[in-house]
Amino acid sequence: VTADEPPLDYGFLADALDAADARAFVHVGDADADLRYLSRLPDTIDEYGFVYTDGEATLCTSSDADCDDGSVVETFSGQVRRESPDDPVGTRVVAALADYGVSEGATVLVPRQLPHDAAVYLESAGYDLASTPVVGETRAVKSEWELDRLRAVQRAAARGVERARSILADADVRAGTLHWQDAPLSTERLRRQVNATLAAEGVVDVTATRIRHGTDPARTPVKLSSGTPVVVSLAPRGRHGYYGTLTRTFVVDSDGGWERRAHVGVESARRVALAELEPGASLRWVHSEAVAEASSFGLPASDGDRVSGVGLARREAPSLADDAAVGHVVALEPSVTDDDHGSVALADLAVVTEDGCDLLVECSTSLVP
Amino acid sequence: VTADEPPLDYGFLADALDAADARAFVHVGDADADLRYLSRLPDTIDEYGFVYTDGEATLCTSSDADCDDGSVVETFSGQVRRESPDDPVGTRVVAALADYGVSEGATVLVPRQLPHDAAVYLESAGYDLASTPVVGETRAVKSEWELDRLRAVQRAAARGVERARSILADADVRAGTLHWQDAPLSTERLRRQVNATLAAEGVVDVTATRIRHGTDPARTPVKLSSGTPVVVSLAPRGRHGYYGTLTRTFVVDSDGGWERRAHVGVESARRVALAELEPGASLRWVHSEAVAEASSFGLPASDGDRVSGVGLARREAPSLADDAAVGHVVALEPSVTDDDHGSVALADLAVVTEDGCDLLVECSTSLVP
């Protein structure tokens, strides 16, 4: 939340209420992406509520809810109600609705992931709940401010990939095993170095960083070998809550075998996906065209291969079932996998524009570190 | 999830079902702490379900759910059902219950934060839902394996505090402003350095790192000054999902004024809290005794001051309303605040033992970096 952040326009909620003949929209949580979009708050320790009715947005927090970072709720553009943390958020939301004159029997729109106990409090107070996907649909289209935040975290991801590349480039091979700074280089050691770079670039969550090596199990640290694909897969979350998505594959001392062919196929699939992604294109079509391209090299697509929206959640609208629209930010993640060699994967974020799409951040796809 | 992790004993769920005359327990989510405790999975991109009935635990995942880290669900000790991601998790959970012979009209226990749509699917299938707090209560008592994970992330936090201390110790003062490596030292620069150290130590989430400076707003980067309290507040999350909690306050070139007195008072409050925390002690009592101790120095406690459980969530059971029990891990966070000077705060994690409590990790409380 920064001073330059424009206030959120809640008009889409007013439209959804009109369309459903509903009186209010309610959400409750502490870290849900829809709720963070509505409140512009980071993850909180305590649950809080969001209420929208009669054109007015209100946060129902406890006196404790913002203690973690006291200045945060001051940046919310609507009303803030502070009540005792001893009352469940559900009862505080019901009290707010009553104060706003929303009477029993009214329809209240809620997202499908509203916590069950909040739903029970609302229903016990006589409201009819109806589920709405409108928040997720609305936040699929990014504002310029959001695109700036996504570019910032994607630039940090590119620095993380560059850190991995430079370590692999500096590594020397002893009896087939990579050594860096005079010690064997493991997936875990590389992961920590990359994560330290991401954190130094301002990233706050590196939970999703994966270093895969050949066919080795993903979560067991293993020493890196020459001639084996090392997949550096990053989905860092920046301090404003937006996720990057960037994957590159490197092979030290490649003998030019399977991984070279796989890399050519995956690069080609990536080009096809970028060429097909444009307003009106079905994401399932973009995905199937990329898979077909990789297949034309005799390479089966791997399970992880996907096309989906990215923003305040690592995966969000649009999904494969949707058509691309201007302002969608989409992860393109072509990959191929092989029982003997492992995987070769690339992933990038692209924003859909009037006449196609643009990569959020450019990053070399070279297989050679 | 490591090979040395003992399987979770779901006997507490069997007991809860017996006590409530219920046939099954169900939970759904992607990153909820209760769900992670039950499944031993990290955060996932896709929602999945957990079902317990007739002594058997089952995960309902989609074919996509574990693509992020394919080896993970192999470590789950119960059954794993894989179904199409096109079916909502709620319908997949209902199908699992039907397959296990749980018939319409049966009572199903759920946590209060079950997503609303999953509740609607269960109720539409004819099940009566009853809320249970049993998972949160059970995971309040940590196993030896969990204590090891908590100690590991708390050790990383101590390295992060040490990084902050050494940067502040190395800083030189120019016209009242701290400089480090020939550039002004800001809260943001210090935060990134600390976070890079945490990441290099294996931490995956540093969202909660806060560097507060005097009375300056928490989220606006400011240059650090001599003579002003710098509060380094860390709650890093390790890769197994457990949170540390460690706060230290430093003053460069203190003139021995308010912050010295405040620091003596907060250290004294910390000693009182550690002395009072033992099996059977009410956490509200521990908290009020610590606040009273700080008050005896003429220092009002700040809002952030708290006593609560820590584990797979940054704040979990036990709460102020609970009594301490052996195996509880409790954050003790005495602090004082002043409109003119800012805050002095300390925070530590202690585990409740048979005869009192032990700090999880020792870390100097010195005000002088």
Side-chain angles (χ1 to χ4, degrees):
Chain A
V1 181
T2 61
D4 61 320
E5 184 180 1
L8 190 63
D9 177 358
Y10 295 107
F12 71 93
L13 288 179
D15 295 344
L17 295 183
D18 282 349
D21 201 16
R23 276 298 313 281
F25 170 91
V26 167
H27 196 7
V28 164
D30 48 19
D32 178 70
D34 280 354
L35 188 65
R36 286 187 278 124
Y37 181 77
L38 295 166
S39 70
R40 293 269 173 91
L41 298 190
D43 295 359
T44 59
I45 300 186
D46 292 312
E47 276 195 331
Y48 63 97
F50 173 91
V51 172
Y52 180 85
T53 186
D54 283 341
E56 181 115 65
T58 301
L59 290 189
C60 301
T61 74
S62 68
S63 50
D64 276 3
D66 53 342
C67 74
D68 189 41
D69 198 344
S71 61
V72 172
V73 293
E74 272 100 69
T75 67
F76 180 66
S77 59
Q79 303 292 313
V80 178
R81 290 166 63 103
R82 290 162 195 266
E83 288 126 336
S84 163
D86 297 334
D87 295 329
V89 182
T91 64
R92 289 187 263 136
V93 164
V94 165
L97 289 175
D99 287 352
Y100 283 117
V102 182
S103 46
E104 281 187 37
T107 298
V108 172
L109 295 185
V110 298
R112 58 160 204 82
Q113 71 274 28
L114 180 78
H116 176 53
D117 68 333
V120 170
Y121 283 116
L122 288 163
E123 288 173 336
S124 300
Y127 299 118
D128 289 327
L129 300 191
S131 192
T132 178
V134 70
V135 183
E137 288 170 3
T138 301
R139 66 187 178 81
V141 176
K142 271 64 180 179
S143 68
E144 280 305 316
W145 185 87
E146 291 180 290
L147 289 174
D148 284 346
R149 302 287 84 70
L150 283 156
R151 280 188 199 100
V153 71
Q154 188 74 343
R155 274 194 300 271
R159 299 274 172 83
V161 163
E162 168 58 21
R163 176 67 174 151
R165 186 205 62 71
S166 79
I167 289 173
L168 291 169
D170 290 349
D172 54 317
V173 181
R174 301 180 197 171
T177 299
L178 303 192
H179 282 63
W180 180 68
Q181 292 185 347
D182 287 324
L185 185 60
S186 68
T187 49
E188 177 65 9
R189 212 172 147 220
L190 185 58
R191 191 177 71 86
R192 290 185 179 205
Q193 290 295 323
V194 168
N195 283 348
T197 296
L198 291 171
E201 294 289 330
V203 162
V204 294
D205 187 341
V206 294
T207 308
T209 299
R210 297 280 179 275
I211 310 288
R212 279 176 291 152
H213 178 256
T215 57
D216 291 312
R219 283 182 73 82
T220 313
V222 292
K223 289 180 191 165
L224 302 183
S225 307
S226 60
T228 304
V230 178
V231 181
V232 178
S233 173
L234 309 184
R237 185 182 181 199
R239 70 180 307 199
H240 292 276
Y242 291 87
Y243 282 90
T245 301
L246 190 64
T247 299
R248 291 295 182 263
T249 303
F250 300 106
V251 182
V252 174
D253 293 353
S254 171
D255 64 4
W258 175 83
E259 68 270 13
R260 288 276 179 191
R261 187 161 54 89
H263 189 251
V264 170
V266 171
E267 278 190 316
S268 190
R270 176 175 178 270
R271 273 193 298 274
V272 166
L274 286 167
E276 296 291 340
L277 183 62
E278 61 183 15
S282 140
L283 293 201
R284 200 179 297 279
W285 165 260
V286 173
H287 178 250
S288 64
E289 287 295 288
V291 169
E293 179 68 15
S295 300
S296 74
F297 289 79
L299 300 160
S302 69
D303 281 349
D305 188 6
R306 30 178 92 255
V307 175
S308 76
V310 171
L312 287 169
R314 278 179 62 196
R315 190 184 304 161
E316 60 184 36
S319 74
L320 284 181
D322 298 319
D323 292 343
V326 173
H328 281 172
V329 169
V330 174
L332 303 170
E333 312 190 41
S335 65
V336 299
T337 194
D338 179 279
D339 287 346
D340 294 327
H341 299 93
S343 295
V344 169
L346 297 170
D348 289 88
L349 284 184
V351 56
V352 179
T353 60
E354 295 288 351
D355 51 2
C357 70
D358 290 331
L359 285 173
L360 277 194
V361 168
E362 303 270 352
C363 176
S364 163
T365 59
S366 172
L367 187 67
V368 178
Chain B
V1 181
T2 62
D4 59 321
E5 183 180 1
L8 189 63
D9 177 358
Y10 295 107
F12 72 92
L13 288 179
D15 295 344
L17 295 182
D18 281 349
D21 201 16
R23 275 298 313 279
F25 170 92
V26 166
H27 197 6
V28 164
D30 49 18
D32 178 71
D34 281 354
L35 188 64
R36 286 186 278 122
Y37 181 76
L38 295 167
S39 69
R40 294 270 173 91
L41 298 190
D43 295 0
T44 59
I45 300 187
D46 293 313
E47 275 195 331
Y48 64 97
F50 173 90
V51 172
Y52 180 85
T53 185
D54 283 340
E56 180 116 63
T58 300
L59 290 189
C60 300
T61 74
S62 68
S63 51
D64 274 4
D66 52 340
C67 75
D68 189 41
D69 198 343
S71 61
V72 172
V73 291
E74 271 100 70
T75 66
F76 180 66
S77 59
Q79 303 291 313
V80 178
R81 290 165 63 105
R82 290 164 196 266
E83 288 126 338
S84 164
D86 297 334
D87 295 329
V89 182
T91 63
R92 289 187 263 135
V93 165
V94 165
L97 289 175
D99 287 352
Y100 283 117
V102 181
S103 46
E104 281 187 35
T107 299
V108 172
L109 295 185
V110 298
R112 59 162 204 80
Q113 71 273 30
L114 180 78
H116 176 52
D117 68 334
V120 170
Y121 283 116
L122 288 163
E123 288 174 337
S124 301
Y127 299 117
D128 290 328
L129 300 192
S131 192
T132 177
V134 70
V135 182
E137 288 170 3
T138 301
R139 67 186 178 81
V141 175
K142 271 63 178 179
S143 68
E144 280 304 318
W145 185 87
E146 291 180 290
L147 289 174
D148 284 347
R149 301 289 81 72
L150 283 156
R151 280 188 199 102
V153 72
Q154 189 73 344
R155 274 195 300 270
R159 299 273 172 84
V161 163
E162 168 58 20
R163 176 68 175 152
R165 187 205 60 72
S166 79
I167 289 173
L168 292 169
D170 290 349
D172 53 317
V173 181
R174 302 181 196 170
T177 299
L178 303 193
H179 283 62
W180 180 70
Q181 292 186 348
D182 288 323
L185 184 60
S186 68
T187 49
E188 176 66 8
R189 211 170 148 223
L190 185 58
R191 191 178 71 85
R192 291 184 178 203
Q193 289 296 321
V194 168
N195 283 347
T197 295
L198 291 171
E201 294 289 330
V203 162
V204 294
D205 187 340
V206 294
T207 308
T209 299
R210 297 279 179 275
I211 311 289
R212 277 175 293 151
H213 178 254
T215 57
D216 291 312
R219 283 182 73 83
T220 313
V222 292
K223 289 178 191 167
L224 302 183
S225 308
S226 60
T228 304
V230 177
V231 180
V232 178
S233 172
L234 309 183
R237 185 182 182 200
R239 72 181 304 200
H240 293 276
Y242 291 87
Y243 282 90
T245 302
L246 190 64
T247 299
R248 291 295 182 261
T249 303
F250 301 105
V251 182
V252 174
D253 293 352
S254 171
D255 64 5
W258 175 84
E259 68 269 14
R260 287 278 178 190
R261 187 162 54 88
H263 189 252
V264 170
V266 171
E267 278 191 316
S268 191
R270 176 175 177 270
R271 273 193 300 274
V272 166
L274 286 167
E276 295 292 340
L277 183 62
E278 60 183 16
S282 140
L283 293 201
R284 200 179 298 279
W285 165 259
V286 173
H287 178 251
S288 65
E289 287 294 289
V291 169
E293 179 69 14
S295 301
S296 74
F297 289 79
L299 300 160
S302 69
D303 281 350
D305 188 6
R306 31 176 93 254
V307 175
S308 75
V310 171
L312 287 170
R314 277 179 62 197
R315 189 185 306 161
E316 60 183 36
S319 74
L320 284 182
D322 297 319
D323 292 342
V326 173
H328 281 172
V329 169
V330 174
L332 303 169
E333 313 189 41
S335 66
V336 299
T337 193
D338 179 279
D339 287 345
D340 294 326
H341 299 93
S343 295
V344 168
L346 298 170
D348 289 270
L349 285 183
V351 55
V352 180
T353 60
E354 295 289 349
D355 51 2
C357 70
D358 291 331
L359 285 173
L360 277 194
V361 167
E362 303 271 351
C363 176
S364 163
T365 59
S366 173
L367 187 67
V368 178

